[in-house]
Amino acid sequence: MPITDFLERNAALYGNEVSLVELNPEIQEKRYVTWKEFDLIESKPSAPYRREITWSVFNEKANRFANLLISRGIGKDDKVAILLMNCLEWLPVYFGVLKTGAIAVPFNFRYDTDEIDYCASLAEVDVMIFGSAFIGRIEPIADKLARKCTLIYCGEGTCPSFAENYTELTANESSQNPGIELKDSDNAAIYFSSGTTGFPKAILHNHESLMHSAKCEQAHHGQTHKDVFLCIPPLYHTGAKMHWFGSLISGSKAVLLKGTKPQYVIEAVSNERCTIVWLLVPWAQDILDDIDSGKIDLAKYDLSCWRLMHIGAQPVPPSLIKRWKKVFPSHQYDTNYGLSESIGPGCVHLGVENIHKVGAIGVAGYGWQTKIVDTEGNEVPRGGIGELCVKGPGVMTCYYRNEESTAECLKDGWLFTGDMAKEDEDGFIFLVDRKKDVIISGGENIYPVQIEDFLRQMDAIKDVAVIGMPDQRLGEISAAIIEIKEGYTLTEDEVNEFCYQIARYKRPRKIIFADIPRNPTGKIEKPVLRKRYCVENLVARENES
């Protein structure tokens, strides 16, 4: 059964009920008014701060886009890229793609022009739908993209000359289900990850994966028709979408919040009566900090509806949850572990009943198996450290067009995660370290090689290594250890100024000038650097926990 059947069911059962709400509090904040006062303004910004659609409209929009794609010859195993910020159009577009039997290919909205070009080529994209925020990034490669795929613009304002307009194209399409038969084994979606080199890999999932992700989420968090899910992370990420799948199964409302300020989150929960909120560690810490400082007065809000706060995407400091429970003692808490290769969160999860085990990522999730193995693939004794492996219906089909990488991490149905872990006496799994060098900062993956290659463009730099350093708020921050060429000088300010050319989240948070150790084969000895520069921070974090 494909997840598109749930959308059809919800449209039939709950057609006139709200399915999705889009909130953009930054708009009314720029007007310096409260939300209630905003409703009284005669001359509003072109983009409203709140929009909503029903399940019936959701389904109709998905059908219209599906029928448009079919009229353009798009069908099974064709690829449709989605490059949109979170908005009401995102999920109907996604489901429209699935209804054709084509493969949905969500793009990270932080991709620059080169990354968009690379991923479109890697995934062999046939159609790309993009929003207004990406016109400037697509325009330099529009001619190149147009030779291979159709470009469709979905946004406000004038449609760029190199694309067709989504609203105009779908207006006259049929709102009826196109009736394409889908099987569990049919390809459904490609998500992008990255290897140790930092270049994205295309992760292919079938419809069984998507359906199991939905079942897993609903089994873990027990969504009912009365629940309201507050979705803050970007929908291109498996985490946000797969957590929303619980709302899809229960036919319940979800709120897409643009912006992560603590006030936005608290107001959204209060005004929209949200019951479930998924946060990242820094967002949870910011909320608590604003409450402690008095910036947020909880007495002004009705948060009695909020029943569950769960966190994912990075290790969770036990001290944070202890602090959270003091402020919100009635909240259930859960954490989830997963990878894009395992269709996002849930292959391992803590469980709301196991808050006494905070610090662990949990146990095997619904329908999943886990094991921890040594370098030979043999299971280690309980308490021993090894590589975490998972197995279940949500494991990817393969890395698209990359047989070598697929063979490295998929063995007899087991996905080798690349994460080092251990199991305690009660069977709970704790992450120990990452086998790969990827840095996870505030839930975002940072790839050291990309930053290293960028910094090496500076004339004064002889060598550079980027490592992750423990951080109480973000989980990790990136630190650049820089070796300066003889006869040159270089300051921290000069490095920071040079880094303004790259995305903010990729910029090193700490600059260290020192020699770079390399082994006899020429590889940077990052374990040596971590031991040298991270021990003090690790000890501090443990003491706080």
Side-chain angles (χ1 to χ4, degrees):
M1 175 182 174
I3 60 171
T4 51
D5 285 3
F6 279 119
L7 180 56
E8 291 284 340
R9 182 209 64 178
N10 291 347
L13 293 178
Y14 316 118
N16 293 326
E17 296 182 23
V18 174
S19 59
L20 297 172
V21 174
E22 176 191 325
L23 293 181
N24 192 349
E26 291 181 347
I27 290 178
Q28 110 270 348
E29 184 176 89
K30 290 175 182 177
R31 296 296 297 260
Y32 303 103
V33 296
T34 66
W35 285 29
K36 290 183 179 180
E37 291 170 336
F38 186 88
D39 292 331
L40 304 176
I41 296 176
E42 294 182 3
S43 177
K44 294 183 174 66
S46 57
Y49 82 90
R50 187 186 189 280
R51 298 194 295 158
E52 66 177 38
I53 57 173
T54 63
W55 283 110
S56 178
V57 172
F58 184 165
N59 191 47
E60 288 173 3
K61 285 181 175 291
N63 288 338
R64 289 183 191 277
F65 190 57
N67 287 314
L68 168 66
L69 293 174
I70 292 170
S71 73
R72 298 298 183 92
I74 298 299
K76 288 194 175 182
D77 285 335
D78 290 324
K79 292 92 177 175
V80 181
I82 304 170
L83 184 53
L84 298 170
M85 305 297 285
N86 280 13
C87 59
L88 282 189
E89 289 74 24
W90 209 111
L91 287 166
V93 164
Y94 181 83
F95 274 76
V97 177
L98 296 182
K99 286 191 175 197
T100 69
I103 300 171
V105 188
F107 274 33
N108 186 327
F109 60 50
R110 290 183 172 86
Y111 283 165
D112 59 24
T113 298
D114 290 341
E115 289 168 319
I116 292 170
D117 184 27
Y118 177 86
C119 291
S121 176
L122 176 61
E124 301 177 308
V125 167
D126 299 287
V127 176
M128 179 181 293
I129 181 166
F130 65 96
S132 57
F134 309 100
I135 295 175
R137 293 180 234 178
I138 290 178
E139 189 169 17
I141 55 173
D143 289 343
K144 180 180 179 182
L145 290 172
R147 289 195 292 268
K148 301 177 182 179
C149 73
T150 300
L151 297 173
I152 299 176
Y153 174 70
C154 178
E156 290 192 317
T158 304
C159 176
S161 60
F162 54 80
E164 299 179 78
N165 189 285
Y166 165 84
T167 303
E168 295 176 0
L169 291 175
T170 57
N172 296 317
E173 292 291 340
S174 170
S175 62
Q176 299 301 306
N177 188 329
I180 304 297
E181 183 180 354
L182 301 174
K183 297 181 294 185
D184 285 350
S185 58
D186 286 343
N187 295 326
I190 286 176
Y191 291 90
F192 290 102
S193 186
S194 185
T196 54
T197 63
F199 292 101
K201 286 183 284 192
I203 301 165
L204 178 63
H205 283 281
N206 60 22
H207 279 275
E208 182 183 24
S209 281
L210 300 188
M211 175 55 78
H212 185 69
S213 179
K215 290 179 178 178
C216 190
E217 170 61 22
Q218 209 278 333
H220 289 169
H221 297 142
Q223 289 90 339
T224 71
H225 189 60
K226 294 180 180 179
D227 275 309
V228 179
F229 174 51
L230 181 60
C231 181
I232 308 170
L235 287 167
Y236 73 75
H237 196 279
T238 53
K241 194 177 323 73
M242 305 320 168
H243 284 312
W244 172 79
F245 277 170
S247 301
L248 176 68
I249 287 185
S250 61
S252 53
K253 185 174 83 171
V255 178
L256 307 177
L257 176 63
K258 292 185 173 184
T260 62
K261 287 185 178 181
Q263 182 183 347
Y264 297 168
V265 176
I266 297 299
E267 285 186 343
V269 171
S270 180
N271 294 342
E272 300 293 335
R273 312 307 299 150
C274 298
T275 62
I276 302 174
V277 182
W278 180 44
L279 298 173
L280 299 180
V281 167
W283 302 344
Q285 290 182 326
D286 290 347
I287 289 172
L288 294 176
D289 289 345
D290 277 11
I291 292 171
D292 288 347
S293 69
K295 290 182 180 179
I296 292 178
D297 181 0
L298 293 182
K300 295 181 179 180
Y301 304 94
D302 180 2
L303 305 179
S304 59
C305 52
W306 192 351
R307 71 171 179 86
L308 170 66
M309 185 279 279
H310 57 117
I311 290 180
Q314 66 189 104
V316 182
S319 57
L320 171 64
I321 304 309
K322 292 177 183 177
R323 187 180 170 201
W324 187 274
K325 289 292 287 182
K326 287 182 180 179
V327 178
F328 300 105
S330 63
H331 283 188
Q332 293 178 309
Y333 167 74
D334 193 14
T335 188
N336 296 273
Y337 166 90
L339 309 87
S340 294
E341 289 88 343
S342 65
I343 206 58
C347 60
V348 180
H349 94 120
L350 185 64
V352 296
E353 69 279 11
N354 295 316
I355 194 168
H356 63 289
K357 286 287 187 178
V358 166
I361 57 172
V363 296
Y366 174 83
W368 287 92
Q369 303 174 56
T370 61
K371 66 178 181 179
I372 298 174
V373 302
D374 60 22
T375 55
E376 302 299 321
N378 301 311
E379 291 193 50
V380 302
R382 181 167 288 185
I385 296 175
E387 183 173 0
L388 175 62
C389 303
V390 299
K391 186 177 184 179
V395 168
M396 69 175 182
T397 301
C398 65
Y399 286 120
Y400 185 65
R401 299 174 61 195
N402 193 336
E403 293 182 3
E404 182 179 351
S405 292
T406 300
E408 288 177 359
C409 71
L410 276 185
K411 301 172 185 178
D412 297 325
W414 287 94
L415 173 67
F416 284 63
T417 67
D419 284 328
M420 307 304 287
K422 65 180 179 180
E423 196 174 70
D424 73 4
E425 65 279 3
D426 298 317
F428 284 81
I429 298 169
F430 291 75
L431 289 185
V432 176
D433 198 359
R434 293 181 182 86
K435 192 174 182 180
K436 301 175 183 178
D437 289 329
V438 178
I439 300 165
I440 301 179
S441 183
E444 286 291 338
N445 283 5
I446 297 175
Y447 304 103
V449 170
Q450 289 183 337
I451 306 173
E452 290 162 0
D453 289 344
F454 172 78
L455 287 173
R456 287 193 181 101
Q457 298 176 65
M458 296 189 75
D459 292 336
I461 292 181
K462 176 184 178 181
D463 206 354
V464 59
V466 174
I467 63 172
M469 296 183 70
D471 181 79
Q472 181 68 18
R473 180 172 178 269
L474 297 173
E476 288 182 306
I477 57 172
S478 57
I481 296 92
I482 295 173
E483 185 173 343
I484 304 173
K485 292 179 182 176
E486 187 176 351
Y488 283 75
T489 60
L490 188 64
T491 67
E492 184 174 339
D493 287 343
E494 288 172 333
V495 175
N496 288 330
E497 183 176 352
F498 185 76
C499 288
Y500 282 132
Q501 301 175 63
I502 59 175
R504 184 175 181 179
Y505 80 101
K506 293 183 179 181
R507 298 171 195 166
R509 297 294 189 98
K510 189 174 183 63
I511 307 296
I512 300 169
F513 294 105
D515 292 340
I516 305 296
R518 288 181 176 267
N519 65 20
T521 64
K523 294 181 179 179
I524 297 173
E525 294 184 314
K526 291 194 175 179
V528 173
L529 293 173
R530 293 190 188 100
K531 184 176 181 180
R532 183 179 299 167
Y533 297 111
C534 298
V535 170
E536 184 177 335
N537 282 12
L538 282 169
V539 171
R541 286 188 69 192
E542 288 296 322
N543 290 338
E544 290 178 2
S545 297

